[in-house]
Amino acid sequence: EIVMTQSPATLSVSPGERATLSCRASQSVSSNLAWYQQKPGQAHRLLMYAASTRATGIPARFSGSGSGTEFTLTISSLQSEDFAVYYCQQYENWPLTFGGGTKVEIK
Amino acid sequence: QLQLQESGPGLVKPSETLSLTCTVSGGSISSRSCYWGWIRQPPGKGLEWIGSVYYSGSTYYNPSLKSRVTISVDTSKNHFSLQLSSVTAADTAVYYCASQAYISDWANWFDPWGQGTLVTVSS
């Protein structure tokens, strides 16, 4: 099983600032990585797939990078609606696995 | 626009079988470009993939749950179902269903997701 590790667990950021979230895989997942956003009471929202491709309707302030075992999700200028929990997921191998999540909170 | 909605009992007794259904609207469960998946999230914890099913009935399960899980699809009702047997308190979680992109003979990311349903295992 591929273990996905996200850091930090919590990220405190001021609105308008840049947020950088990390996701590490225990073995290479190539570019087979997705990012999701979770807000209370809402369905999970796909942000990014293939590590760096924005999903439909996702603002350009979200960007993804990386391949192999190291990945980054960057939010260039945090908006109020971006404060949420973010998860990465690998789909290189079964079983599919998720990272433990990073909570982005208001500083 | 594809939408998914979970339904089923919110309370299940220990040792019994948890049964949930995910109804798909805005699209066909017989689509050849989708797998259909179940994911769960225990309170305060992260996400765990349970398993995925194709319209043909082909399935993949998480080995950690495989002995207790059955996922099936009903194309006539445009829904798919999850059964988890011999449940314990550790199975208490929010259960989500989701569509999974099937591209180049591989099941990929999940989009969209249902809102989720809380299932509590307690006597």
Side-chain angles (χ1 to χ4, degrees):
Chain A
E1 171 176 319
I2 298 175
V3 177
M4 307 301 293
T5 303
Q6 290 186 244
S7 62
T10 304
L11 187 60
S12 299
V13 186
S14 300
E17 289 189 340
R18 182 187 195 91
T20 302
L21 288 66
S22 295
C23 175
R24 175 178 293 177
S26 61
Q27 65 188 73
S28 177
V29 299
S30 187
S31 294
N32 294 316
L33 185 103
W35 289 93
Y36 303 92
Q37 179 190 65
Q38 182 184 25
K39 293 182 183 179
Q42 296 187 21
H44 289 74
R45 181 188 185 193
L46 175 70
L47 299 175
M48 212 74 61
Y49 60 90
S52 60
T53 303
R54 274 190 301 276
T56 302
I58 302 304
R61 65 180 180 273
F62 290 90
S63 63
S65 64
S67 66
T69 62
E70 301 283 344
F71 300 88
T72 300
L73 176 71
T74 302
I75 312 170
S76 59
S77 177
L78 271 159
Q79 307 298 302
S80 57
E81 62 266 30
D82 301 334
F83 292 96
V85 181
Y86 293 83
Y87 293 95
C88 60
Q89 175 233 329
Q90 66 80 20
Y91 49 91
E92 169 73 10
N93 279 339
W94 304 101
L96 309 176
T97 48
F98 293 86
T102 291
K103 180 180 181 181
V104 178
E105 64 177 24
I106 300 174
K107 186 174 183 180
Chain B
Q1 182 180 358
L2 197 62
Q3 292 185 309
L4 291 84
Q5 179 66 57
E6 306 87 352
S7 60
L11 181 64
V12 181
K13 289 182 168 55
S15 79
E16 295 190 345
T17 296
L18 178 161
S19 296
L20 296 174
T21 295
C22 181
T23 300
V24 177
S25 59
S28 172
I29 203 164
S30 298
S31 170
R32 283 152 177 76
S33 62
C34 295
Y35 260 73
W36 306 95
W38 287 99
I39 304 108
R40 70 180 183 178
Q41 185 170 28
K45 296 188 178 180
L47 297 164
E48 178 181 35
W49 170 71
I50 300 170
S52 299
V53 64
Y54 198 47
Y55 79 97
S56 63
S58 173
T59 53
Y60 289 92
Y61 295 137
N62 192 322
S64 67
L65 297 168
K66 187 174 183 177
S67 64
R68 299 194 290 131
V69 171
T70 302
I71 297 176
S72 58
V73 62
D74 188 332
T75 55
S76 67
K77 295 181 179 178
N78 220 41
H79 74 208
F80 62 107
S81 300
L82 167 70
Q83 289 194 309
L84 181 65
S85 64
S86 304
V87 297
T88 69
D91 294 309
T92 294
V94 177
Y95 285 76
Y96 300 96
C97 60
S99 172
Q100 191 174 3
Y102 183 58
I103 301 170
S104 301
D105 295 327
W106 198 250
N108 299 276
W109 55 88
F110 294 101
D111 181 50
W113 295 55
Q115 293 271 15
T117 186
L118 174 63
V119 179
T120 301
V121 178
S122 175
S123 55

